[in-house]
Amino acid sequence: MMTRFALTVVRHGETRFNKEKIIQGQGVDEPLSETGFKQAAAAGVFLTNVQFTHVFSSDLTRTKQTTCGILEKSKFCKDMTVKYDSRLRERKYGVAEGRALGEMRAMAKAAGEECPVFTPSGGETLDQVKMRGKDFFEFLCQLILKETGQKGQFSQGAPSNSLETSLAKIFPLGKHCFSEFNSDGGAPGLAASVLVVSHGAYMRSLFGYFLTDLKCSLPASLSKSELSASPNTGISVFIVNFEKGREAQPTVQCVCMNLQEHLNRVTEMC
């Protein structure tokens, strides 16, 4: 039995330190700036009609505030319980936290390394960040598999169609994605629609895991530039398919990555 769910991943809104290019990581828990709150509200308006069944957020202030800003605008999810998960935190940058990005670049250069690969003292390696993302993703798959099993395969038909419809109305590539999966008539509806609010470097690592390890398929229209760091409140949507059994890896299809149409509503962009 194939289980399918939608995964919508949003980066937090802008903080003062984002604007000033100061590294926050996990140790600098800066709140959203005025622009950041506007971005979160704009993302919420954009996602207002999407029916989410689960909401997860990093437990840092900037992601908590963004999640709250999104849910406040939701027609269906205003009263949903948010699960805060430390596995969704930003990459830990150790001694570089609270310092300018230029300083970390200088540290990397002194160590004879490039910045993204460089690990400051006390920071996490890229592999460690990837393992956190993999751990969270596998937990999510198991959670949905368990819940789907408890509901029973017959009871999920009608709600799953509405989950699918609510996404397809907003994401133009969604229609193609869904019809492709349903072309044989045997693919089930969505068992869940999950919202995750996290951080730039963490999301880049998670998406890298999807692309490299899980061979995630991308829309033909997606340019390479969109695979770089997400803008503040950039929205990415994936459809995950998996079968019960540990041997089979999930298959992931990207509907859109780092979408930022909603930011056109934010007038005071910097």
Side-chain angles (χ1 to χ4, degrees), residues 42-56:
V45 170
F46 186 74
L47 297 168
T48 188
N49 291 310
V50 178
Q51 295 184 40
F52 294 112
T53 55
H54 304 71
V55 181
F56 291 90

Side-chain angles (χ1 to χ4, degrees), residues 129-139 202 206 209 213 249:
V129 182
K130 178 184 167 181
M131 289 314 292
R132 268 203 290 131
K134 182 173 185 270
D135 186 50
F136 175 80
F137 179 68
E138 287 175 349
F139 149 78
Y202 179 89
L206 181 67
Y209 166 65
D213 295 53
Q249 278 200 321

Side-chain angles (χ1 to χ4, degrees), residues 154-201:
F154 301 110
S155 66
Q156 61 167 313
S160 67
N161 290 339
S162 63
L163 296 181
E164 206 147 329
T165 305
S166 77
L167 275 169
K169 280 178 182 170
I170 298 170
F171 299 102
L173 295 173
K175 292 174 186 173
H176 167 70
C177 180
F178 297 139
S179 61
E180 197 173 285
F181 275 116
N182 288 321
S183 59
D184 61 356
L190 294 175
S193 184
V194 182
L195 172 65
V196 167
V197 182
S198 188
H199 305 263

Side-chain angles (χ1 to χ4, degrees), residues 216-248:
C216 172
S217 60
L218 295 170
S221 60
L222 197 66
S223 70
K224 286 287 181 191
S225 64
E226 289 170 283
L227 300 178
S228 59
S230 170
N232 288 112
T233 68
I235 300 169
S236 300
V237 180
F238 302 88
I239 303 297
V240 182
N241 294 258
F242 58 100
E243 289 189 65
K244 196 170 181 179
R246 291 170 181 268
E247 298 79 21

Side-chain angles (χ1 to χ4, degrees), residues 17-76:
F17 281 9
N18 284 146
K19 190 178 173 184
E20 294 173 5
K21 293 190 165 43
I22 292 170
I23 293 163
Q24 295 166 104
Q26 297 182 11
V28 179
D29 202 14
E30 185 75 3
L32 296 183
S33 63
E34 190 183 340
T35 297
F37 280 111
K38 287 179 181 176
Q39 290 170 336
V45 170
F46 186 74
L47 297 168
T48 188
N49 291 310
V50 178
Q51 295 184 40
F52 294 112
T53 55
H54 304 71
V55 181
F56 291 90
S57 166
S58 150
D59 59 354
L60 297 175
T61 300
R62 55 196 185 273
T63 39
K64 283 182 174 181
Q65 290 176 332
T66 303
T67 306
C68 184
I70 291 171
L71 295 183
E72 273 177 359
K73 302 289 182 187
S74 174
K75 284 188 180 172
F76 303 100

